[in-house]
Amino acid sequence: MNIFLVLLISVFMAGYYMFFGPSTRINEQETEYAISVADLRSIAECAIAAHNAQIAGGVFEDICTAQYGIKSEFVCLDSRLGVTACDSAGVKRPKYSFIITTTDPLHTSDYNDMMEILEQNFSTSGTLGIYQDGIVIAGGTTAKRSVPDAIQKNLNLENGQIIYMTHYEAPDPERVFTGTVADDIICPVGTTKTYRFGRWQCIGYNLKTSCGGDTVWDSTLMECVPDESRKPLCSGEQTAVIVDNVWECINPFGERKCPSNMLARLNYETLEWECVEDPNKVKTTSKCATAGSRAIRGRGGATLRLATTSCTDCEKMIIDESTCDAVCVPDETKLASPSCYPGRASECTGASRAFYFGFPNSAYIANVSGISVSDVPFDSSHSQNRKFNCMDCGTGTIDTSKSVYPYTAVCNN
């Protein structure tokens, strides 16, 4: 009987210890604290997520925003710290612009735990803290940031709310310029397209802007003429002459006797006379017995070229059947001819190289179809030798919008 009572008391004491022992009570307290801290951390994390979404121009959609009463909105102040519209396009631009996120008020018993969470996990968030009597107490810092009175009244702030404030610069309104949309037009040779008075118009090309080399605009003749101020002083028996719109010192022209069916022509590359076939004696099926000359000549004050139509190795002759005038135009089929282009035509290709023709002046271009005077640059980088040349842009590239193969080639700036 005594043994039975001893066993019964032992079982009773063991059960009492299991249910009411000190270690069991400690575990219950730690679990309850962990749940409380997790809930408080969720409030801070949800507020930060909603705030960041507002900064990015979006909306954070989660059940936690309604659960914790989280709101994010824009609040703007004027120079007197009064609430104003956040509209940078208006007459009065806001002086200060804020993105503010708030939560429902915490219980006073949760202040210390929330401050500990902010200090341990969100110490670099700056203005994230607990609102208390007009100031924001942030975790991990000793500074207290005051909230303007206008914002306190506008948001109806209460003590214990988690508040997150970010100051931003209101962007300038985008300016959109609109104009009348007009149909594009195609202008004839000798004119250029210009947008005037709300529509495209064709106006005469101003040749004054295209005087290249050593030429200057003559307002009386309304054309480019040799610039006498640039005429060089030549030594010995040499004479200053205009060759392709550029002054050059050359030796006096020697006499050259050619066969009866040939005539003398000055080679502007070597400045030597050479015998070429007389175009006036070439048999042709044209009704014109002889072709009149409209070759490009020099102007007053310069030694004139031959008054005959003599095409280079890169040109072909075209005869106007109505007037029997003969002119020379570029012949792109001669690109592969060594007498026209001494190099390999296949090497003048790629993104940085292209062919161009050395047009002597603007009057020559009027005879060539497919290009206009405005397409051809007259500058020191483009030769006027009436042959095909290779433009090498080096490390740059060819501007395809301003180049017309194989007549013009312009490098990108």
Side-chain angles (χ1 to χ4, degrees):
M1 186 66 179
N2 293 332
I3 296 176
F4 176 75
L5 291 175
V6 171
L7 293 175
L8 183 61
I9 293 172
S10 299
V11 172
F12 175 78
M13 292 299 294
Y16 179 84
Y17 182 80
M18 289 179 62
F19 286 99
F20 301 99
S23 61
T24 302
R25 291 197 301 273
I26 292 175
N27 289 335
E28 289 179 353
Q29 291 175 0
E30 289 182 352
T31 302
E32 183 179 352
Y33 174 76
I35 294 174
S36 176
V37 169
D39 290 340
L40 293 176
R41 185 185 297 111
S42 298
I43 297 175
E45 291 176 347
C46 186
I48 291 175
H51 191 79
N52 291 338
Q54 188 77 1
I55 293 176
V59 178
F60 179 66
E61 298 179 354
D62 192 274
I63 191 174
C64 68
T65 57
Q67 182 179 359
Y68 302 129
I70 296 175
K71 299 178 181 178
S72 292
E73 53 188 305
F74 294 92
V75 179
C76 296
L77 306 178
D78 55 22
S79 58
R80 298 182 179 180
L81 298 183
V83 176
T84 184
C86 296
D87 186 7
S88 60
V91 177
K92 294 184 178 180
R93 180 185 176 92
K95 183 68 174 180
Y96 306 99
S97 305
F98 296 94
I99 297 175
I100 303 177
T101 302
T102 58
T103 69
D104 286 340
L106 300 175
H107 194 274
T108 54
S109 61
D110 294 329
Y111 283 9
N112 291 336
D113 292 339
M114 178 57 79
M115 290 300 297
E116 183 178 352
I117 291 172
L118 296 179
E119 181 177 357
Q120 292 178 354
N121 301 278
F122 309 106
S123 59
T124 60
S125 297
T127 54
L128 174 63
I130 300 177
Y131 174 78
Q132 185 72 29
D133 297 329
I135 61 174
V136 177
I137 305 174
T141 63
T142 58
K144 298 180 181 180
R145 294 173 174 83
S146 61
V147 181
D149 294 339
I151 294 180
Q152 298 180 46
K153 295 179 181 179
N154 184 264
L155 300 181
N156 296 319
L157 297 181
E158 300 179 32
N159 290 341
Q161 285 183 287
I162 299 296
I163 183 170
Y164 198 177
M165 297 179 59
T166 298
H167 178 258
Y168 73 97
E169 185 69 23
D172 292 328
E174 182 179 0
R175 297 183 179 181
V176 179
F177 298 93
T178 59
T180 305
V181 178
D183 295 334
D184 199 0
I185 59 175
I186 299 177
C187 294
V189 177
T191 62
T192 184
K193 182 175 66 175
T194 304
Y195 193 78
R196 302 174 62 191
F197 308 113
R199 63 186 180 89
W200 289 107
Q201 299 180 10
C202 294
I203 62 174
Y205 184 76
N206 184 9
L207 293 177
K208 182 178 180 179
T209 63
S210 63
C211 291
D214 294 330
T215 60
V216 67
W217 179 254
D218 190 319
S219 57
T220 302
L221 300 176
M222 298 299 292
E223 60 184 4
C224 295
V225 298
D227 187 356
E228 296 296 329
S229 64
R230 298 184 181 181
K231 186 175 182 180
L233 296 176
C234 300
S235 61
E237 297 179 355
Q238 289 185 329
T239 304
V241 297
I242 282 287
V243 178
D244 297 327
N245 292 334
V246 178
W247 286 108
E248 292 187 9
C249 292
I250 63 173
N251 294 320
F253 294 160
E255 295 182 358
R256 181 79 175 186
K257 294 182 179 180
C258 297
S260 58
N261 293 331
M262 304 185 74
L263 53 82
R265 183 189 71 171
L266 180 64
N267 187 324
Y268 286 92
E269 292 296 319
T270 62
L271 292 179
E272 295 180 355
W273 290 100
E274 59 186 11
C275 293
V276 297
E277 190 174 14
D278 189 352
N280 296 324
K281 296 182 179 180
V282 175
K283 295 182 179 180
T284 178
T285 57
S286 173
K287 66 180 181 180
C288 301
T290 58
S293 173
R294 286 200 293 125
I296 308 304
R297 298 181 175 87
R299 299 299 176 189
T303 303
L304 301 181
R305 297 182 181 177
L306 290 179
T308 182
T309 303
S310 179
C311 300
T312 66
D313 295 325
C314 292
E315 297 173 324
K316 61 183 177 181
M317 183 180 296
I318 297 179
I319 300 177
D320 188 344
E321 295 293 335
S322 59
T323 62
C324 294
D325 287 337
V327 295
C328 297
V329 296
D331 186 359
E332 58 183 282
T333 62
K334 299 292 185 64
L335 274 175
S337 174
S339 58
C340 172
Y341 179 71
R344 294 182 181 180
S346 60
E347 295 178 351
C348 191
T349 57
S352 60
R353 294 182 180 181
F355 278 106
Y356 74 92
F357 186 80
F359 291 101
N361 50 44
S362 57
Y364 186 103
I365 302 172
N367 303 319
V368 183
S369 61
I371 59 173
S372 63
V373 176
S374 59
D375 296 330
V376 180
F378 289 93
D379 50 37
S380 59
S381 61
H382 291 78
S383 176
Q384 291 86 37
N385 57 3
R386 293 175 64 185
K387 289 190 176 183
F388 286 102
N389 307 271
C390 184
M391 172 61 70
D392 190 348
C393 297
T395 57
T397 58
I398 295 294
D399 189 344
T400 57
S401 63
K402 298 181 181 179
S403 303
V404 181
Y405 176 86
Y407 300 120
T408 65
V410 180
C411 296
N412 280 307
N413 294 331

